[in-house]
Amino acid sequence: MNQYLVSRYAHTLSEAQRLMESVDCERCAEMAGTSKNPAWIIGHLAVAGDLMGSLAGGEMKYAHWHELYSPGKEPKPDRSIYPKKDELMDALAERHGALSARVAGLTDADFRAELPMEAYRSFFPTLGDAAIYMMAAHEMYHLGQLSIWRNAAGIR
């Protein structure tokens, strides 16, 4: 399972990079009539990778971003509260690399292990459940929001 997750996760990173390539940094906090903006989406995905990496035994690097990007936090149309686009994209790529390295070394028993974060166990009973969702479905869900934002913002 490891190689498939890592492969799909690499694909979602390349999609995020492609979608963000033509988005100007100054436009990243625009709402464009949508519910999420690029600065929030990319930061949220970096934080999700940060959290998943810590659940897989790695270090959490962006704990200071969790208050801004955690589930349930609403995006704001204020550019000044978000890191710059390059910093967000670098953080996303770095967290992808760190999580991919962790997941590549997990065993089948690791994937079957109970999720160490009790608050999320009703959704993800095992580390494998969380890894599959976070590295495949979750990323593509939010990249769909980014694609919708691009269309609404007139970026083709």
Side-chain angles (χ1 to χ4, degrees):
M1 178 179 350
N2 310 46
Q3 71 187 32
Y4 301 111
L5 278 176
V6 169
S7 172
R8 290 301 83 216
Y9 202 47
H11 174 74
T12 61
L13 176 60
S14 69
E15 282 298 297
Q17 291 165 332
R18 182 185 65 78
L19 289 169
M20 287 299 292
E21 187 174 25
S22 58
V23 176
D24 291 333
C25 180
E26 296 311 313
R27 295 194 69 188
C28 283
E30 287 180 22
M31 298 306 292
T34 64
S35 64
K36 304 286 189 269
N37 61 42
W40 189 89
I41 293 167
I42 298 301
H44 177 72
L45 294 178
V47 163
D50 200 37
L51 176 61
M52 187 62 227
S54 73
L55 294 172
E59 293 281 331
M60 190 175 287
K61 186 172 181 179
Y62 293 95
H64 59 288
W65 284 8
H66 286 244
E67 184 59 33
L68 186 59
Y69 294 115
S70 291
K73 300 296 180 181
E74 291 298 317
K76 305 279 190 264
D78 179 357
R79 186 69 197 93
S80 69
I81 65 173
Y82 297 108
K84 299 291 185 198
K85 174 186 165 182
D86 287 346
E87 184 180 357
L88 289 166
M89 295 306 295
D90 288 347
L92 180 64
E94 190 278 329
R95 290 292 79 190
H96 263 253
L99 177 54
S100 293
R102 298 291 312 167
V103 168
L106 295 177
T107 66
D108 287 346
D110 294 327
F111 281 110
R112 288 191 302 272
E114 183 176 68
L115 190 72
M117 189 177 219
E118 187 175 353
Y120 287 101
R121 274 192 214 132
S122 64
F123 302 107
F124 312 117
T126 68
L127 184 64
D129 291 313
I132 290 167
Y133 176 75
M134 297 298 277
M135 296 175 76
H138 179 254
E139 288 248 330
M140 291 309 283
Y141 172 82
H142 286 296
L143 292 181
Q145 291 175 322
L146 181 56
S147 182
I148 290 167
W149 179 92
R150 285 172 50 92
N151 288 335
I155 299 171
R156 304 285 180 238

